[in-house]
Amino acid sequence: MTDIGFDGHVAIVTGAGHGLGRQHALALASRGARVVVNDLGGAVDGSGSDTGPAQQVADEINDQGGEAVANTDSVSSQQGGEAIVQSALDAFGRVDIVINNAGILRDKAFHNLTPELLDPVLQVHLYGAFWVTLPAWKLMREQGYGRVVNTSSAAGLFGNFGQTNYGAAKMGLVGFTRALAQEGRKRNVLANVIAPGARTRMTEDLLGSMADSLDPEKVSPVVVYLSSDQCDVTGQILSVAGGRVSRVVVAEPLGYYSADLTPEQVRDNWDTIASLDDLIVPDNATEEMAQLLNAAR
C-alpha cells in the first residue's frame, strides 16, 4: 500500500503546544496536513494563558515547509470550540481531522474534592471534546469524510488513586467516541479513542522510572493512522505506550439468568456472574442487549 499522507486535508489538534499534541501536530504536518495548532498556553492545572506555545509549534511547522496556524481559544466553552473550527475555515477552508488532546490535571483524593478541582477538569477534557468536535462534525457529515481521535487514559479505563475527576472525564470520552462511531459510520466520519502512556508535562512527576521509555513521539504514529483515509476502523479504544499498541475492549460474559431473579440468587451465583469465560464484545448497546437476551432464551 502507499504511504499514509494528508495532502489537502486539514487537521485541528488541541493542546498542541506541548507534549503529545505537539508531536501529533508535527507528525501530521510532516505528511502534508495543514494544521491548526490550538493551545491556550496555560499551566498544567489549567490556570493562566500564553500565546507562545501554540505559535512556537506553528512556526516550527512552517519553518519546515508545512502549513500551520496558531489558535489560543479555550476548548472549554462552546464559543471557544466554534472559534477553533472557524480558525481552520478561515485559514484553510475546510476541516477533515479533529484530535482532541487538550487536558489539565487537578488531582486530589475524592474526600478532598471541591468544585474548583472537578469542574475545570470536566470542562477541558470532556466538554472540550464536545465543543470542538460538534461544529467540525457538521462539516464532516456534509462533505462525507472526517476523522476524530479522542484522548482517554488508563486512569479512565482502569482507575487511579486521586484521579476521580480526571478518570471520570477520560472514561466519558470513551462513551462519547463509541456513540460518535455509530452516528458517523454511514458518512465515512470515523471516531476512535487512544489511551496513551507518555512522558509529558502532565505525567512526568507520575511516571517515575518508566518516564524514559515513554517518549510521546511513539504515540503519534497511531494518531496519524487513525486520522488517515487509509483507516477504516471506528469506535475502537487503543492503548498506546512506548511503541506498544493494543486494542482495549468493553466485554462481558453471558453470566447467570433467572426469570425470577432474587438477591439470594445473585449472591449464590456470583462466580458465574463474574466469570470471564466466553466473553462477548458488542459493537453497540443494542447488540449487547440482543446477545444477552438470546443467550437467556
Side-chain angles (χ1 to χ4, degrees):
M1 296 182 68
T2 59
D3 289 345
I4 290 173
F6 296 93
D7 289 346
H9 285 185
V10 175
I12 294 170
V13 185
T14 68
H18 302 277
L20 283 169
R22 174 178 175 272
Q23 292 300 330
H24 301 340
L26 293 173
L28 289 165
S30 73
R31 290 174 176 262
R34 295 171 289 174
V35 182
V36 174
V37 179
N38 164 262
D39 202 297
L40 181 64
V44 171
D45 67 358
S47 60
S49 61
D50 181 0
T51 60
Q55 191 61 57
Q56 288 168 10
V57 175
D59 289 344
E60 186 175 356
I61 290 171
N62 290 322
D63 289 345
Q64 294 174 1
E67 295 183 70
V69 295
N71 174 279
T72 58
D73 289 292
S74 173
V75 303
S76 63
S77 71
Q78 182 177 4
Q79 295 79 7
E82 290 173 348
I84 293 166
V85 173
Q86 190 61 49
S87 290
L89 296 177
D90 290 344
F92 305 121
R94 60 183 292 123
V95 178
D96 302 282
I97 301 159
V98 172
I99 312 297
N100 288 306
N101 171 77
I104 64 172
L105 283 180
R106 296 194 179 186
D107 293 352
K108 191 70 68 172
F110 183 60
H111 63 277
N112 292 319
L113 202 65
T114 64
E116 293 74 21
L117 297 171
L118 174 61
D119 294 344
V121 172
L122 294 176
Q123 287 165 358
V124 172
H125 289 276
L126 186 56
Y127 287 21
F130 273 79
W131 295 138
V132 177
T133 305
L134 182 58
W137 187 265
K138 295 175 182 178
L139 299 170
M140 292 174 179
R141 289 182 78 253
E142 290 176 2
Q143 69 194 19
Y145 180 85
R147 299 290 185 265
V148 177
V149 181
N150 293 317
T151 308
S152 184
S153 169
L157 295 172
F158 306 112
N160 198 39
F161 186 92
Q163 291 192 311
T164 54
N165 51 359
Y166 179 80
K170 288 304 193 183
M171 195 59 180
L173 286 167
V174 172
F176 175 54
T177 304
R178 300 279 287 186
L180 284 182
Q182 302 303 314
E183 294 191 22
R185 189 192 305 265
K186 289 184 178 180
R187 293 180 180 264
N188 195 23
V189 184
L190 309 184
N192 293 284
V193 59
I194 62 168
R199 182 185 66 255
T200 69
R201 290 192 308 162
M202 289 175 57
T203 63
E204 59 187 357
D205 294 332
L206 305 174
L207 294 175
S209 60
M210 295 188 295
D212 290 342
S213 61
L214 296 177
D215 195 311
E217 290 184 7
K218 295 182 179 179
V219 174
S220 295
V222 176
V223 172
V224 169
Y225 167 67
L226 295 175
S227 301
S228 74
D229 58 8
Q230 294 188 26
C231 173
D232 59 3
V233 300
T234 194
Q236 299 302 309
I237 310 163
L238 297 178
S239 174
V240 191
R244 173 186 171 273
V245 188
S246 177
R247 182 186 177 201
V248 179
V249 299
V250 179
E252 62 183 307
L254 294 178
Y256 170 79
Y257 172 77
S258 170
D260 302 301
L261 191 65
T262 67
E264 290 75 20
Q265 287 176 317
V266 175
R267 176 198 64 199
D268 296 342
N269 292 278
W270 184 256
D271 287 347
T272 300
I273 293 168
S275 170
L276 296 182
D277 295 334
D278 301 319
L279 292 175
I280 61 173
V281 184
D283 282 336
N284 54 64
T286 302
E287 182 179 305
E288 183 257 4
M289 185 61 65
Q291 287 179 317
L292 295 181
L293 291 177
N294 286 338
R297 295 190 185 100

